[in-house]
Amino acid sequence: MYWIGYDIGSSSVKAALVESATGREVARVQSPEREMPITSDQPGWGEQPPGLWWEHVKKATSELLRTTDTKAESILGIGISYQMHGLVAVDRDLKVVRPSIIWCDSRAVGVGDRLMEAVGENRCRDRLLNAPGNFTLSKLAWVKEHEPERYVRIHQVMLPGDYIAMKFSGTCTTTASGLSEGILWDYREEAPATWLMEAAGIDPGLLPRVVPTFGAQAEIGAQGAAETGLREGTPILYRAGDQPNNALSLNVMQPGEVAATGGTSGVVYAISDRLDTRELHRVNHFAHVNHSAGAPRIGKLLCINGTGIQYSWMQQNTPGSLGYPQMNELAASVAPGAEGLRIFPFGNGAERMLRNVHPGASIQNLDFNIHKQPHLYRAALEGIAFSFVYGMELMAEDGVNLQRIRAGNDNLFRARPFAETITTLTGASIEMVATTGAAGAARAAAVAAGAFPDMEAATATDAVQLRYEPLSESGPYREAYTDWKNKLETLLKTHQT
């Protein structure tokens, strides 16, 4: 018997089959093989038709069942992870009203700013833990303002994962975690922020029924079964955005634990039990998958745009056509601090953690008589690591007690200079685990059904591949970081003036 987990991304849909008895991932498929297109009719816009996601859910499900020779009757339930912050609007016939305005679309920034001005920053801080910003509610308000003929047709609004659950079941539902990522959740009332919707001139009745993040959310209906090949009545047991789900997949569930990723951009997702924040603008706050009124679990999310993309740029623009493992070896041959060479990896757009300043990427202290190719690699990794540490300091000042960092199996955390810099400066251990969001969603469904007592038991087959502990000789790391941070503050002052 098995569970299926889906990860609905903007580039592809992944589906994983997980064994019921052990939680072991049996198989995983991806559809399409190449990235799904994103439409951008104007600079800063990003849209996708939700039906495209559903087409690839169907294809991925069919391939998963076929290649593993698994019968629909063997699937006990499903879980769904999805790209965050998107807006999906449907009419009374549950037909999509317009393409989804997805996570990377920035058209609603001004709308969100005006909405916060109308309701007050302190009220947003105390009740939402976020500024309305460029999130789902602001995108809906943009549609109301600019596309009134479409807005009047809207019957329900959902997040991308809610839409997939609707296509499976035929019913519209959402979760507290999902509403929080759309800045639609009031943490003081533990209910949808209807007052904010009313301030935006939006009918709160457009929100679907709220169901538990873990638990019986809906069942696959006759149409969903016919289209996917799954059994009618199969329960949908879990749903969460991709970053909370990534943390869950790594068994990051309790205060003090951190999930980190180092892909093109970098994400730090730290769990806190505090319902307050001083960082309204630089850090986002979402209801984690195990959040409840009696036991708050808030995911503090920090995004750094210029991480893996900087190291990739370094690989492509230095001689030798070296692979990342070779670059990492050369970087490790240089002492901490790279003999004074400093690199700032902020060349991938404005950085939210820097208050949306765009200082650009830069190299400082380059000495033609000292610094060679290995120094560039070391300074590049240190610059990215220092950016992570800088963001984690913001989180620590906002009440996060860093104890353990867990990361997926990506290249940056395999680079010893990078990981050792972070663990030594933060004092938190780092564990690398090979897992996927789709497998995490499947395991979460199993936990929701009672097949496992908790995520720790469900992820027991995921071995820790690498572990880093703080080094006792921290002086060179702290000296280099202090110098880097001071130079960053000077850069920021220059760009702010």
Side-chain angles (χ1 to χ4, degrees):
M1 306 301 285
Y2 304 97
W3 310 89
I4 292 181
Y6 296 93
D7 187 2
I8 316 299
S10 53
S11 58
S12 67
V13 171
K14 300 178 182 68
L17 192 68
V18 166
E19 195 174 57
S20 178
T22 64
R24 181 178 63 89
E25 183 179 316
V26 175
R28 184 191 330 143
V29 300
Q30 174 180 311
S31 181
E33 292 185 5
R34 295 185 176 181
E35 291 188 359
M36 291 185 286
I38 296 175
T39 301
S40 184
D41 292 337
Q42 295 190 35
W45 287 24
E47 298 183 351
Q48 285 183 322
L52 182 64
W53 311 330
W54 180 241
E55 287 303 312
H56 288 293
V57 165
K58 293 190 292 184
K59 290 178 181 178
T61 305
S62 175
E63 183 178 354
L64 191 65
L65 296 179
R66 178 183 59 81
T67 56
T68 60
D69 195 26
T70 300
K71 305 300 182 186
E73 293 74 19
S74 299
I75 306 302
L76 298 172
I78 68 172
I80 301 169
S81 168
Y82 59 90
Q83 52 173 299
M84 298 172 71
H85 316 310
L87 169 68
V88 180
V90 298
D91 62 18
R92 290 188 177 277
D93 295 323
L94 304 186
K95 303 297 183 184
V96 172
V97 170
R98 69 169 330 281
S100 174
I101 303 176
I102 64 172
W103 62 274
C104 59
D105 188 297
S106 59
R107 76 184 70 182
V109 171
V111 177
D113 291 345
R114 292 195 301 272
L115 184 55
M116 187 171 72
E117 185 178 346
V119 300
E121 182 171 318
N122 287 338
R123 194 177 188 190
C124 290
R125 185 190 310 278
D126 293 342
R127 302 180 77 93
L128 305 172
L129 305 184
N130 291 290
N134 184 45
F135 297 104
T136 311
L137 175 60
S138 298
K139 292 169 181 174
L140 178 60
W142 184 93
V143 173
K144 182 177 186 293
E145 180 179 343
H146 294 275
E147 300 176 348
E149 74 287 351
R150 283 174 159 170
Y151 179 81
V152 297
R153 294 170 50 207
I154 297 175
H155 173 61
Q156 300 269 251
V157 294
M158 295 174 284
L159 283 302
D162 302 336
Y163 171 80
I164 296 301
M166 182 206 77
K167 293 296 290 184
F168 270 119
S169 67
T171 59
C172 297
T173 58
T174 191
T175 64
S177 181
L179 291 177
S180 76
E181 76 186 58
I183 319 303
L184 282 159
W185 189 254
D186 186 322
Y187 290 96
R188 300 300 170 189
E189 298 294 330
E190 283 296 325
T194 55
W195 56 271
L196 186 64
M197 298 184 72
E198 290 165 352
I202 293 171
D203 179 7
L206 295 182
L207 293 182
R209 178 171 59 92
V210 179
V211 296
T213 300
F214 284 89
Q217 298 179 349
E219 293 182 350
I220 295 179
Q223 185 67 28
E227 293 190 36
T228 63
L230 295 177
R231 178 178 55 83
E232 183 178 356
T234 302
I236 302 169
L237 295 162
Y238 166 80
R239 194 183 324 164
D242 51 13
Q243 292 303 330
N245 182 74
N246 177 63
L248 166 137
S249 302
L250 293 165
N251 191 31
V252 170
M253 304 290 282
Q254 300 305 327
E257 297 177 343
V258 177
T261 58
T264 300
S265 62
V267 170
V268 180
Y269 185 92
I271 310 302
S272 171
D273 57 2
R274 293 179 54 172
L275 288 173
D276 57 25
T277 179
R278 292 185 296 176
E279 289 295 344
L280 191 65
H281 299 284
R282 295 195 285 180
V283 178
N284 296 128
H285 303 79
F286 306 123
H288 194 38
V289 294
N290 57 342
H291 171 76
S292 67
R297 294 293 181 268
I298 304 300
K300 289 177 173 282
L301 188 148
L302 178 104
C303 183
I304 308 162
N305 294 337
T307 56
I309 192 172
Q310 185 248 84
Y311 207 40
S312 172
W313 183 93
M314 190 71 69
Q315 180 197 43
Q316 295 169 27
N317 292 281
T318 52
S321 301
L322 302 180
Y324 290 123
Q326 294 169 291
M327 292 168 63
N328 296 342
E329 285 183 21
L330 289 173
S333 71
V334 175
E339 296 195 71
L341 187 62
R342 304 285 177 256
I343 295 183
F344 300 85
F346 304 120
N348 193 33
E351 294 284 357
R352 179 173 170 83
M353 80 166 181
L354 303 181
R355 299 187 183 277
N356 290 320
V357 172
H358 185 192
S362 60
I363 300 175
Q364 292 193 20
N365 296 1
L366 179 62
D367 189 314
F368 299 134
N369 298 307
I370 297 175
H371 298 128
K372 311 297 183 199
Q373 201 165 334
H375 293 87
L376 287 171
Y377 297 149
R378 177 92 199 191
L381 288 173
E382 288 184 341
I384 302 168
F386 291 157
S387 301
F388 271 74
V389 173
Y390 185 86
M392 290 180 189
E393 286 182 347
L394 296 177
M395 291 180 159
E397 291 170 3
D398 205 31
V400 174
N401 179 23
L402 297 173
Q403 298 173 4
R404 182 186 70 168
I405 300 169
R406 289 203 128 195
N409 187 21
D410 53 44
N411 178 68
L412 279 178
F413 282 92
R414 285 198 169 278
R416 183 167 291 278
F418 172 79
E420 287 184 344
T421 298
I422 292 177
T423 186
T424 300
L425 290 172
T426 63
S429 62
I430 297 177
E431 296 176 348
M432 279 188 59
V433 180
T435 189
T436 67
R443 290 163 172 167
V447 171
F452 298 97
D454 50 34
M455 284 305 298
E456 184 171 3
T459 59
T461 57
D462 287 343
V464 175
Q465 296 188 325
L466 281 174
R467 180 179 281 106
Y468 301 94
E469 298 291 344
L471 301 178
S472 57
E473 295 296 324
S474 63
Y477 293 90
R478 298 197 181 281
E479 181 180 343
Y481 174 60
T482 299
D483 181 59
W484 181 93
K485 184 177 177 181
N486 289 338
K487 286 180 168 56
L488 173 62
E489 297 294 344
T490 300
L491 276 174
L492 295 178
K493 289 177 183 177
T494 300
H495 282 268
Q496 287 168 343
T497 56

